[in-house]
Amino acid sequence: MNSGTVKIGERRVGEGHPCLIIAEIAQGHDGSLGTAHAYIDAVAKTGADAIKFQTHIAAAESTPAEPFRVHFSRQDATRYDYWKRMEFSEKHWAELAGHATERGLIFLSTPFSFEAMELLDRIGTPAWKVGSGEVTNHPLIERMARTGKPILLSSGMSKWDELDTVVAMVRRLNAPVSVLQCTTAYPCQPERLGLNLIAEMRARYGCPVGLSDHSGKPFSGLAATALGVNMLEIHVVFSRECFGPDVPASITTTEVKDLVEGVRFIERAIAHP
């Protein structure tokens, strides 16, 4: 296995290959299947390579009494109610994955439970994105690694020793791994982006590295591209007037199109010294 690259579906990611640009929808659909499909169509027009959702199954990851940390939703009494409203059936997830493939996008979704992971495995997701809060969830990551699919780790809530442990575990189970610098702040200010850590992660782990950006600006992705990231994940919304907890950390679909153009421009410049 070449640790310098990973293969996600038919796409090779890593040294010598274009940056994989992932549009993260997260909870931007607000529980509407139609809106989720609309995001697929909109992202396909931007030139991004992949679209990513989050697969929540309320009963598998929460309890009916779980309160909000920040009570942003007027229609949900508890955090459990919100996760319940965000759920789609397996049939609907399969339809979303099929729609993404039809539009030339790699379909990804972050699972937050064994049940969600198994659902996504059944519909054929080609890689696993591990959110920052799940890096120490070793039982879940071990089950992901045993599928042999690439694992993309966000670093936002981890110390170096925690990342070291999980990268070693994934490699011990013979699954490809990538690490994305991430700051868990919504939105993330420029002083806290940690762009210096991209090169440190590349040297430390010898794997494809990236930026999972929560700045709500397109500039971070351009800066990371100039530093040679292999993956770039940005949160995406139709408009900054949309509803949802991810909106302050997101860029619009129009800005994604400009970002993609900028990334490809910078890559061409770097490739021709």
Side-chain angles (χ1 to χ4, degrees):
M1 181 192 305
N2 181 358
S3 62
T5 64
V6 300
K7 192 175 183 184
I8 301 176
E10 297 303 312
R11 176 69 182 273
R12 182 68 67 177
V13 180
E15 186 178 353
H17 300 276
C19 177
L20 182 78
I21 302 174
I22 305 169
E24 162 74 288
I25 307 305
Q27 314 312 318
H29 53 75
D30 198 42
S32 164
L33 182 64
T35 299
H37 280 285
Y39 268 113
I40 291 172
D41 288 325
V43 167
K45 295 174 184 176
T46 69
D49 303 297
I51 189 166
K52 193 184 86 66
F53 295 90
Q54 296 180 5
T55 301
H56 293 278
I57 300 175
E61 66 179 85
S62 182
T63 62
E66 184 190 3
F68 278 106
R69 291 195 287 267
V70 177
H71 200 143
F72 62 87
S73 175
R74 293 177 180 269
Q75 70 186 98
D76 305 299
T78 65
R79 190 171 165 88
Y80 177 92
D81 292 338
Y82 179 67
W83 293 138
K84 192 69 181 174
R85 192 162 61 79
M86 293 299 106
E87 289 184 13
F88 296 136
S89 69
E90 182 167 340
K91 175 177 178 290
H92 290 155
W93 279 118
E95 289 169 353
L96 288 166
H99 184 187
T101 301
E102 289 168 7
R103 296 305 308 267
L105 295 167
I106 297 169
F107 172 85
L108 299 170
S109 190
T110 297
F112 290 87
S113 63
F114 288 154
E115 291 86 343
M117 184 233 134
E118 290 161 358
L119 182 158
L120 291 168
D121 198 30
R122 287 193 296 270
I123 68 172
T125 189
W128 303 111
K129 172 64 199 303
V130 178
S132 293
E134 301 299 314
V135 169
T136 55
N137 188 346
H138 293 175
L140 179 60
I141 296 174
E142 179 179 347
R143 193 171 295 195
M144 292 175 177
R146 290 190 184 281
T147 70
K149 297 175 184 179
I151 294 180
L152 319 179
L153 299 168
S154 273
S155 65
M157 298 181 74
S158 297
K159 301 176 182 179
W160 282 117
D161 62 338
E162 291 171 336
L163 282 173
D164 292 346
T165 296
V166 76
V167 168
M169 180 183 75
V170 170
R171 284 181 164 156
R172 191 165 57 248
L173 294 169
N174 295 314
V177 67
S178 301
V179 181
L180 288 80
Q181 162 55 13
C182 176
T183 302
T184 305
Y186 303 84
C188 178
Q189 299 303 311
E191 296 87 350
R192 300 182 65 191
L193 280 171
L195 296 178
N196 58 298
L197 293 171
I198 292 168
E200 189 165 353
M201 287 174 175
R202 180 181 286 113
R204 192 179 187 100
Y205 300 122
C207 69
V209 295
L211 176 70
S212 179
D213 182 34
H214 298 140
S215 69
K217 305 287 185 184
F219 315 127
S220 312
L222 299 176
T225 301
L227 294 173
V229 290
N230 309 118
M231 287 176 289
L232 180 60
E233 179 185 71
I234 65 276
H235 281 254
V236 178
V237 288
F238 290 132
S239 163
R240 287 194 173 85
E241 295 177 344
C242 286
F243 169 80
D246 300 309
V247 173
S250 301
I251 65 175
T252 68
T253 49
T254 300
E255 288 172 323
V256 174
K257 186 174 183 180
D258 292 338
L259 175 63
V260 171
E261 182 180 358
V263 168
R264 301 310 177 210
F265 184 99
I266 293 167
E267 286 179 330
R268 287 174 59 193
I270 291 173
H272 294 83

